[in-house]
Amino acid sequence: MKAIEVKHLTFSYDGRVNAVDDISFTVEQGEVFGFLGPSGAGKSTTIKLLTRLLVPKANRVFVLGQDMAKADYRFMRRIGIAFENDVLYPELTGFENLYYHAKLYGIGKQEIEEVMKMLDILDARDKPASQYSKGMKTRLVLARALVTKPQILFLDEPTSGMDPDIASYVRKVLKELNKNGTTLFVTTHDMHEAEQLCDRIAFFSSGKIVAVDTPESYKKRYGESRILFQVGSDSLQIDRKDKEELLKLIKQDQWDSIHSQEATLEDIFIKVVGRGLKEGDEL
Ligand SMILES: Nc1ncnc2c1ncn2[C@@H]1O[C@H](COP(=O)(O)OP(=O)(O)OP(=O)(O)O)[C@@H](O)[C@H]1O
Ligand SMILES: [Mg+2]
């Protein structure tokens, strides 16, 4: 059984522009699958359709074999959902926020504390959520998603607003969960996040999947490595394949240093999609 199967899924908020425009893809169990795309691409809309926060048309979205247009409350326990701008109860403590969610599913205090510990927010257990920093709130939302021990986690920009150390810690936790069998579906506009976390990445832009591949394979297919010759404050970039030019420059011996530069996933995104990952980053 596939973890996720999406067939020709389209969604429009206003009946005119498609926020999600005829996408199809599958995610295997145990995989980390990422949607990488710029702001407004339709990433959050997609994840809402996958988790029934927006109700998809029947026969378009299957999660663990379940048609999500007909998923009920019992099924929802098997999936965990963490959104970028998720709603917490600000007056309740971190623990209480998790407790009210966990209680619905008969989950006890010990499990809640275990999850808080795993995400390094147990010290803030009794603080109101309103006093959590942005990165702590994101971890609290993640803790809420994890408390039912879901088979699949849906994560919308999971490290948004976190400082780099905490972001890397959270990615480590996510990788560990994946190693223990949890399937992850992740959206991000951060190429490093996509590259570090994902087994496969869909390049996503204007509601459409433009390509799906592994990070290594993208680099092999589209990446060009270049050699950088530094001469004083000037630099000269040469295509690695241009052996003749490379040898000529080396023999001329007028350089201060030579570096090799691999194409980044963002370079490849621009090449394949025709725009960058940041706003206004059109070609
Ligand atoms: N509730 C809504 N009503 C109307 N239009 C919406 C709504 N939510 C999103 N949109 C529009 O749908 C498109 C896709 O938005 P979405 O939030 O899915 O993008 P995103 O890729 O998650 O962006 P970001 O990286 O900024 O979170 C955008 O054009 C957005 O303006
Ligand atoms: Mg979004």
Side-chain angles (χ1 to χ4, degrees):
M1 191 205 310
K2 304 281 180 206
I4 302 170
E5 196 171 4
V6 172
K7 299 174 188 169
H8 300 291
L9 179 66
T10 294
F11 182 84
S12 169
Y13 287 101
D14 60 8
R16 285 182 296 127
V17 184
N18 287 337
V20 172
D21 195 2
D22 191 12
I23 60 171
S24 300
F25 64 96
T26 53
V27 178
E28 302 295 332
Q29 292 196 41
E31 205 177 9
V32 184
F33 189 88
F35 258 40
L36 179 66
S39 180
K43 302 183 297 294
S44 298
T45 306
T46 302
I47 218 166
K48 283 179 184 160
L49 287 160
L50 297 184
T51 53
R52 211 178 183 275
L53 292 174
L54 288 172
V55 184
K57 291 214 172 83
N59 304 322
R60 297 285 158 93
V61 177
F62 295 85
V63 174
L64 297 166
Q66 167 72 50
D67 181 347
M68 287 308 278
K70 299 173 192 152
D72 67 4
Y73 155 84
R74 270 186 304 274
F75 177 78
M76 295 306 278
R77 179 184 175 146
R78 297 172 66 190
I79 67 177
I81 312 165
F83 270 91
E84 190 187 0
N85 301 314
D86 224 317
V87 188
L88 293 160
Y89 298 107
E91 307 84 34
L92 298 186
T93 65
F95 180 84
E96 287 165 346
N97 265 281
L98 299 187
Y99 184 66
Y100 281 103
H101 178 72
K103 218 175 149 194
L104 285 174
Y105 297 104
I107 290 160
K109 293 185 176 177
Q110 198 187 331
E111 282 120 309
I112 298 173
E113 284 176 349
E114 271 168 26
V115 173
M116 290 189 95
K117 186 153 183 264
M118 179 160 75
L119 291 165
D120 203 17
I121 47 172
L122 190 58
D123 287 350
R125 181 189 187 284
D126 299 320
K127 259 195 196 178
S130 59
Q131 288 178 23
Y132 277 43
S133 69
K134 192 159 182 251
M136 285 164 80
K137 280 184 188 147
T138 313
R139 278 180 283 160
L140 188 56
V141 166
L142 184 57
R144 197 175 57 191
L146 284 177
V147 90
T148 59
K149 298 197 166 62
Q151 282 168 267
I152 305 187
L153 261 179
F154 292 90
L155 306 162
D156 194 20
E157 313 263 358
T159 60
S160 166
M162 289 180 191
D163 75 41
D165 284 349
I166 297 177
S168 117
Y169 176 75
V170 167
R171 283 185 206 124
K172 223 169 79 188
V173 171
L174 293 174
K175 277 187 176 169
E176 198 59 36
L177 284 164
N178 175 250
K179 231 168 67 190
N180 293 326
T182 313
T183 306
L184 306 182
F185 179 91
V186 185
T187 70
T188 184
H189 58 255
D190 177 343
M191 62 155 185
H192 296 295
E193 176 142 292
E195 197 162 356
Q196 282 169 20
L197 269 182
C198 299
D199 299 318
R200 282 191 304 146
I201 302 167
F203 282 178
F204 191 59
S205 177
S206 306
K208 289 187 163 66
I209 294 177
V210 182
V212 180
D213 219 328
T214 63
E216 303 74 38
S217 178
Y218 274 125
K219 291 197 170 170
K220 223 189 255 167
R221 279 167 64 191
Y222 302 106
E224 284 164 13
S225 57
R226 305 182 77 75
I227 306 290
L228 189 79
F229 288 80
Q230 198 75 39
V231 186
S233 57
D234 291 332
S235 62
L236 183 63
Q237 285 191 41
I238 307 291
D239 188 333
R240 194 173 186 140
K241 290 191 227 82
D242 194 350
K243 301 276 189 274
E244 218 169 287
E245 186 67 13
L246 284 174
L247 283 174
K248 196 174 99 194
L249 284 165
I250 290 169
K251 279 185 190 153
Q252 279 175 356
D253 199 19
Q254 285 175 345
W255 41 268
D256 296 320
S257 60
I258 303 178
H259 309 272
S260 91
Q261 284 193 319
E262 302 306 318
T264 66
L265 210 53
E266 170 134 34
D267 296 334
I268 298 168
F269 189 94
I270 292 172
K271 199 164 171 181
V272 175
V273 177
R275 62 153 297 167
L277 288 163
K278 286 171 221 82
E279 236 149 315
D281 221 0
E282 311 288 341
L283 266 192

